[in-house]
Structures are given as structure tokens and as C-alpha cells.
């Protein structure tokens, strides 16, 4: 359960969250969760497996471990026979699938959530229950890996693979594969094929941008190789500095896509996490402070804000959604800056495998 002590220790950040505000945000996410554990964007909208997991991780960061466990059990109950999940379910209802494509990064992300939950709780029985789920998900994802290491971004509803790779999605999968390997190591069930796959993927992200679809207009393609742990050190700093002025709007947050004049809470919080990973907590804090204009009265956060227009009335929250995953990304970024051990370990790379770069570095 969320406790005032836990909130005070990890989820209070000057200019971002007071203890009372943090508790309101946690309560807002809990209010979205269905009794069966599903975490849709908001009630009446759809659930996708990636954002469902993001919100569950935020609940763990707040100490709501039982609610987070219910979210993962929902995934376990509704996993497809091939290890995947569908891209969208109406209001989290498993029998009301609204998008039957199977997106690789959506499927992979359960490994990040399961490892985070285990680190937060030490629940060995949970890890035992979820291991077959994670294993099947990873095997599905690696079935889409291309000869160059990149991961095809989805299978169509009829099973046809889409081999084109997305840099953001593959970067997220890079983090997921490392978490899956950490789970395997904890269970003393080594997966050398996964190690090779993660190494090849990281190499593709670092050295072969031509293997991915060109989505450079999107801020996620800018920071996700850093957030996903594929690009680190001086190379990460160079990458972030190169496009800082392109994507960051001072005082407002981070653009979703250029040249469109809107900032989004999710991208801003993820950039803050990437900055924290780089050791730049001060800049991360500034980004989180800048997006507090997106906070609603109920403790949730608007998805985005249009900051330009011919008239003042053209400037508005858009889209008008208070999403569980936007609130979740804010809580996770605050938890990382606040030193929450599980969140620090998952995003900071502690207890995740390193040295996975393949020998064929000139390839």
C-alpha cells in the first residue's frame, strides 16, 4: 500500500510533486485500474500492453505492489499462444480487441515490468509464475529480429511479419532483453541466444541508423537509444546535445514531433529519465518542473499542450486526455531522481547484463 513514508522518501520532488500531490496521482492511476487488473489509458479508452506495463511500474514505485501484481497477472491470463498480446483492447476487455496487430516492443516490455516488480518486492513466487510468460514473449519478439540485429516492428493480424524496424521500438526492446536476461540469471536459466540477440540489437542501434525507418522528426527517436541503454557515456551526451534545441521548448516541455507546436507529458518525462541515466539530474528536474502546467486538478496529467496559434484560444490542452501512462511516466521519473531502488536499477542499468557487444564490431 502507498504510505506517507514511502511517498516522502521517493516521490517528493521540489517544484514537481509534494507528498499530497504524489498521493493524488497514485490514486488517479488506481482509479483507472479495473478489478481484473487491466490499466487502460483511461476508462472507456483502449489498453495497450506497453502503457499498461508503464502504469503498473509506477504503482510499484508508489508501493502499490498488489495492484501492480494484478496488472501483470492480467497480461499472463490474456497472453496469446505465440507469446504475444494484441496492440489494443477496448477498456482492457480481453474479448474486445480493437487492434489485432502484434507489436514487438509492446510484447517485449513485460520483461521490464516483471523485473521491476521483482526488485521492488523480492517476490520469488511471482517471478516463478511470470517466467514462462516472459520467456514466450521474448521468443515471439526475437522471431522478428533481422540479420542486421534490428527488430521488425510487428506482425499483422494474419501473422505476416513487418520487417521494417523502428529505432524507438528497438531501443525499448534493448532494455527489455537486458531485463529478461537479468530474470533468467536470477532463475539460473542462462539464455545465450538472448545475449547474442541483445548484443546484435545494441550494435545496430549504435552503429547502423540506416537499418531503421527514418523517424528523426519524432523526439522519441532522439532520446530512446539513451533511455534504452544502447547508447551511453560521451556518445549519449553528444546525441542529446545535438538536437536539444530542436525538441525542447523551454518552460513547457518536449515536442512530440517537429515542426508541430505541441509538447507532451510522456515524452518529457522519458527525456527526464534519459537525462537522469546520463547523470544530468539537474536538467531532468527542470524538464519535470516545466511540465507541471499539464497537471489537472485530480492529480492526473494531460497528454499534451498546443503552445502556438493565431489566437490565445488556439493554445490548448491536446489531446484532451488524462492518461494513466502519462501519470505513470511522471512517477517513474520522480522515483528515479528520488532514489527508488527498483526504478534506479531498471533504468540505471544496475544488475543488468553488460558487455553484450558482438565481436564483429566493424560490421
Amino acid at each position: 500500500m502507498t504510505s506517507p513514508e514511502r511517498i516522502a522518501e521517493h516521490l517528493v520532488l521540489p517544484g514537481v510533486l509534494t507528498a499530497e500531490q504524489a498521493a493524488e496521482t497514485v490514486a488517479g492511476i488506481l482509479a483507472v485500474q479495473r478489478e481484473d487488473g487491466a490499466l487502460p489509458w483511461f476508462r472507456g479508452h483502449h489498453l495497450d500492453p506497453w502503457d499498461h506495463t508503464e502504469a503498473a511500474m509506477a504503482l510499484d514505485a508508489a508501493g502499490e505492489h498488489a495492484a501492480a501484481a494484478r496488472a501483470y497477472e492480467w497480461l499472463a491470463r490474456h497472453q496469446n499462444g505465440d507469446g504475444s498480446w494484441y496492440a489494443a483492447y477496448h477498456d482492457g476487455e480481453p474479448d474486445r480487441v480493437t487492434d489485432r496487430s502484434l507489436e514487438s516492443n509492446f510484447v517485449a516490455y513485460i520483461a521490464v515490468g516483471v523485473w521491476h516488480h521483482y526488485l521492488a518486492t523480492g517476490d520469488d513466487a511471482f517471478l516463478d509464475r511470470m517466467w514462462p510468460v516472459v520467456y514466450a514473449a521474448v521468443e515471439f519478439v526475437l522471431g522478428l529480429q533481422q540479420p542486421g540485429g534490428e527488430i521488425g516492428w510487428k506482425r499483422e493480424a494474419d501473422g505476416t511479419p513487418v520487417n521494417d524496424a523502428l529505432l524507438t521500438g528497438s531501443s525499448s526492446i534493448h532494455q527489455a532483453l537486458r531485463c529478461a536476461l537479468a530474470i533468467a540469471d536470477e532463475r539460473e536459466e542462462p539464455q545465450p541466444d538472448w545475449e547474442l540477440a541483445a548484443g546484435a540489437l545494441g550494435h545496430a542501434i549504435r552503429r547502423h541508423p540506416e537499418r531503421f525507418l527514418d523517424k528523426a522528426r519524432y523526439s522519441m527517436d532522439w532520446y530512446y537509444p539513451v533511455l534504452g541503454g544502447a547508447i551511453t557515456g560521451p556518445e549519449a551526451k553528444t546525441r542529446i546535445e545535438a538536437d536539444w534545441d530542436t525538441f525542447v521548448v523551454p518552460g513547457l516541455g518536449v515536442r512530440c514531433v517537429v515542426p508541430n507546436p505541441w509538447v507532451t507529458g510522456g515524452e518529457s518525462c522519458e527525456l527526464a529519465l534519459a537525462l537522469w541515466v546520463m547523470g544530468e539530474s539537474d536538467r531532468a528536474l527542470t524538464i519535470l518542473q516545466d511540465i507541471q502546467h499539464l497537471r489537472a486538478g485530480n492529480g492526473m496529467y494531460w497528454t499534451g499542450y498546443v503552445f502556438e496559434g493565431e489566437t490565445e484560444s488556439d493554445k490548448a490542452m491536446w489531446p484532451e486526455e488524462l492518461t494513466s501512462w502519462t501519470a505513470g511516466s511522471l512517477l517513474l521519473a520522480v522515483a528515479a531522481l528520488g532514489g527508488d531502488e527498483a526504478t534506479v536499477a531498471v533504468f540505471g542499468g544496475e544488475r543488468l547484463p553488460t558487455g553484450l557487444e558482438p565481436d564483429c564490431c566493424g560490421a
Side-chain angles (χ1 to χ4, degrees):
M1 295 291 291
T2 306
S3 68
E5 294 79 13
R6 183 173 183 83
I7 285 178
E9 185 177 3
H10 296 303
L11 294 180
V12 172
L13 201 59
V16 181
L17 288 178
T18 65
E20 181 180 6
Q21 289 172 331
E24 288 174 345
T25 301
V26 175
I29 297 174
L30 288 170
V32 172
Q33 188 173 36
R34 292 161 44 109
E35 288 187 10
D36 64 0
L39 280 159
W41 285 22
F42 51 87
R43 294 309 305 269
H45 198 56
H46 76 254
L47 173 153
D48 73 71
W50 198 102
D51 290 315
H52 167 93
T53 299
E54 176 102 336
M57 292 171 66
L59 292 177
D60 266 327
E64 292 286 349
H65 303 312
R70 288 198 304 274
Y72 296 120
E73 298 292 353
W74 186 94
L75 289 170
R77 288 195 304 274
H78 303 302
Q79 188 174 33
N80 295 322
D82 62 2
S84 69
W85 291 271
Y86 297 117
Y89 304 78
H90 176 74
D91 199 35
E93 296 182 22
D95 297 328
R96 298 183 65 186
V97 178
T98 55
D99 185 344
R100 291 186 174 272
S101 63
L102 311 167
E103 297 195 20
S104 54
N105 69 305
F106 283 13
V107 175
Y109 207 57
I110 188 173
V112 181
V114 166
W115 184 235
H116 183 259
H117 183 81
Y118 175 71
L119 293 176
T121 64
D123 188 342
D124 290 314
F126 169 83
L127 203 64
D128 290 342
R129 292 196 306 275
M130 297 305 297
W131 169 245
V133 181
V134 171
Y135 183 90
V138 170
E139 290 294 301
F140 172 85
V141 170
L142 294 185
L144 285 163
Q145 188 163 36
Q146 304 304 300
E150 70 276 19
I151 308 287
W153 78 279
K154 69 175 180 177
R155 287 188 183 274
E156 300 286 10
D158 63 2
T160 302
V162 177
N163 295 328
D164 292 331
L166 300 173
L167 181 58
T168 294
S170 284
S171 297
S172 177
I173 293 169
H174 181 266
Q175 182 190 22
L177 288 177
R178 294 173 73 207
C179 289
L181 284 165
I183 295 169
D185 182 64
E186 185 69 23
R187 292 181 48 81
E188 299 183 351
E189 297 192 34
Q191 302 295 322
D193 289 346
W194 295 3
E195 293 181 12
L196 292 172
L201 175 58
H203 179 71
I205 293 168
R206 284 186 291 273
R207 301 290 175 253
H208 292 283
E210 76 281 358
R211 293 177 183 170
F212 301 91
L213 294 175
D214 184 2
K215 301 288 184 179
R217 294 172 56 237
Y218 292 83
S219 61
M220 287 191 295
D221 265 24
W222 166 51
Y223 63 75
Y224 239 99
V226 177
L227 180 58
I231 295 179
T232 60
E235 190 175 352
K237 183 173 179 60
T238 298
R239 183 182 187 88
I240 294 302
E241 294 299 337
D243 284 322
W244 182 269
D245 292 338
T246 299
F247 291 112
V248 176
V249 183
L252 292 178
V254 177
R255 293 177 189 258
C256 174
V257 57
V258 293
N260 298 348
W262 68 74
V263 295
T264 49
E267 276 83 351
S268 298
C269 293
E270 288 178 340
L271 175 62
L273 264 174
L275 290 167
W276 171 82
V277 167
M278 295 165 52
E280 298 197 15
S281 295
D282 289 345
R283 280 213 288 184
L285 174 60
T286 297
I287 294 292
L288 295 177
Q289 291 171 336
D290 285 350
I291 62 167
Q292 293 314 302
H293 65 100
L294 297 176
R295 185 177 177 88
N298 64 354
M300 299 295 276
Y301 287 79
W302 298 105
T303 301
Y305 175 71
V306 177
F307 57 83
E308 288 182 2
E310 294 183 4
T311 67
E312 282 299 314
S313 63
D314 292 331
K315 302 176 183 180
M317 299 300 176
W318 185 89
E320 293 190 26
E321 301 171 345
L322 296 168
T323 48
S324 59
W325 53 268
T326 300
S329 66
L330 185 282
L331 290 178
L332 286 173
V334 172
L337 269 69
D340 175 63
E341 291 184 6
T343 307
V344 166
V346 166
F347 290 99
E350 296 179 15
R351 298 184 64 180
L352 294 183
T354 59
L356 299 174
E357 179 80 21
D359 293 333
C360 55
C361 293

